[in-house]
Amino acid sequence: GEKIVLLAVDDIDAATLRQAMLNHGCNPLMIPAEYHQIEEVPKLGVGKTDFSKAKALAVELSSAAAAPICSSQNPGPASQD
């Protein structure tokens, strides 16, 4: 399924943002499921937001956040030829 992911240059307090969105009547389904702070928003050559690159970045960051930090499998020592 799809989810809403917020990419922000500024530091965002998730609880404050969530409450502000609810207070302004936003549908709870529209509240971001994930928040990621980035250095800069991807831009096209003309200076507009590059939404396809932003989406790819959101997918990448979401995947990285969901990936386990370390593997539970021990591959064992590397073989030498």
Side-chain angles (χ1 to χ4, degrees):
E2 293 190 2
K3 61 185 168 187
I4 296 176
V5 177
L6 174 66
L7 301 176
V9 175
D10 297 323
D11 189 25
I12 301 290
D13 177 45
T16 302
L17 177 64
R18 182 181 195 290
Q19 193 59 50
M21 290 180 75
L22 290 172
N23 290 345
H24 283 87
C26 288
N27 182 331
L29 294 174
M30 297 294 109
I31 295 173
E34 292 182 21
Y35 306 84
H36 297 283
Q37 188 172 4
I38 57 175
E39 290 185 25
E40 62 182 355
V41 175
K43 301 281 186 187
L44 296 169
V46 294
K48 294 182 179 181
T49 301
D50 186 337
F51 288 102
S52 53
K53 282 189 181 175
K55 182 176 180 177
L57 179 59
V59 168
E60 179 184 325
L61 292 170
S62 292
S63 297
I69 294 174
C70 62
S71 174
S72 61
Q73 298 177 0
N74 184 358
S79 63
Q80 295 183 2
D81 294 317

